[in-house]
Amino acid sequence: MTRTPTTRPAGARRRMTLKEVERFITLLAAAHPNAESELDFVDDYTLLVAVALSAQATDVSVNRVTKGLFRDAPNPAAMVALGEEAVGEHIRSIGLWRTKARNVVALSQALLDQHGGQVPHDRAALEALPGVGRKTANVVMNVAFGDSTMAVDTHIFRIGNRTGLAPGKTTRAVEDQLVARIPAPMLRPAHHWLILHGRYVCKARRPDCWRCPVTEPCQYTAKILIAP
């Protein structure tokens, strides 16, 4: 996962029609048929911790530190026993590691105290955990529990605005439009299709339009369709 965006990218000619949205998502599905989270985890708890650690960090960097962290602390009780200082030693190579170490231990204690050591299948309960916001809750609900949620990170925010898929000034505005406009049966996996598309094709500085599978419905006005 990546940081939450604070500015709105420009570039779409207009907002896509619902027919174009369905075409856009259908083409992405064909391009990424086996799309899934690129974070390494083994259960709901390790997923929650990995997603919480991924704020302002790449999935690759998070996977690097959680390998040892989850070996030493595979569950909430073990994480609390490990303690903030030792957790920090594991994750100090990623951004905001001190705050994240404190939050990981605190959320683990909260799971023990309030949820029997289990990750709750409830948005409000998830967002009440230390270091867990709406985006993290959406990812956990989508990946762990199979809910049709849309976690809007910087990649999905960019795609929503750049392509005309779901323009919005805030991540919540983009999220609400995506949930309303993507056909319901496609919504849950669309979260993964969009993240991978933004990570590897519709990149921030210069999108690789020349190898993009969705140039037809995309409303981006500055497409470069010839490979550099």
Side-chain angles (χ1 to χ4, degrees), residues 61-77:
S61 67
V62 171
N63 291 339
R64 189 178 301 121
V65 301
T66 55
K67 183 177 181 179
L69 177 63
F70 293 156
R71 180 194 62 230
D72 291 352
N75 55 59

Side-chain angles (χ1 to χ4, degrees), residues 88-154:
E89 288 300 313
H90 276 288
I91 68 171
R92 63 185 304 128
S93 63
I94 63 174
L96 305 176
W97 65 271
R98 289 185 177 86
T99 299
K100 290 176 180 179
R102 182 168 62 252
N103 285 338
V104 164
V105 173
L107 75 82
S108 299
Q109 186 66 64
L111 291 177
L112 293 170
D113 294 343
Q114 301 167 25
H115 304 287
Q118 302 299 309
V119 176
H121 185 183
D122 178 85
R123 178 185 297 283
L126 284 168
E127 292 186 24
L129 296 171
V132 177
R134 185 175 183 86
K135 182 176 68 174
T136 296
N138 275 335
V139 174
V140 172
M141 292 171 70
N142 182 292
V143 177
F145 302 119
D147 292 347
S148 294
T149 56
M150 180 60 65
V152 178
D153 68 352
T154 187

Side-chain angles (χ1 to χ4, degrees), residues 24-106:
F24 186 95
I25 298 300
T26 298
L27 290 170
L28 278 188
H32 304 287
N34 301 310
E36 58 185 17
S37 174
E38 294 188 316
L39 289 170
D40 292 337
F41 63 95
V42 296
D43 55 20
D44 298 351
Y45 172 69
T46 53
L47 171 67
L48 172 63
V49 172
V51 178
L53 292 177
S54 70
Q56 299 189 35
T58 66
D59 287 2
V60 171
S61 67
V62 171
N63 291 339
R64 189 178 301 121
V65 301
T66 55
K67 183 177 181 179
L69 177 63
F70 293 156
R71 180 194 62 230
D72 291 352
N75 55 59
M79 193 71 73
V80 171
L82 190 61
E84 183 179 329
E85 183 176 348
V87 172
E89 288 300 313
H90 276 288
I91 68 171
R92 63 185 304 128
S93 63
I94 63 174
L96 305 176
W97 65 271
R98 289 185 177 86
T99 299
K100 290 176 180 179
R102 182 168 62 252
N103 285 338
V104 164
V105 173

Side-chain angles (χ1 to χ4, degrees), residues 4-6 150 152-154 157 168-176:
T4 300
T6 55
M150 180 60 65
V152 178
D153 68 352
T154 187
F157 184 79
K169 293 182 179 180
T170 66
T171 55
R172 183 60 188 271
V174 171
E175 176 189 336
D176 289 345

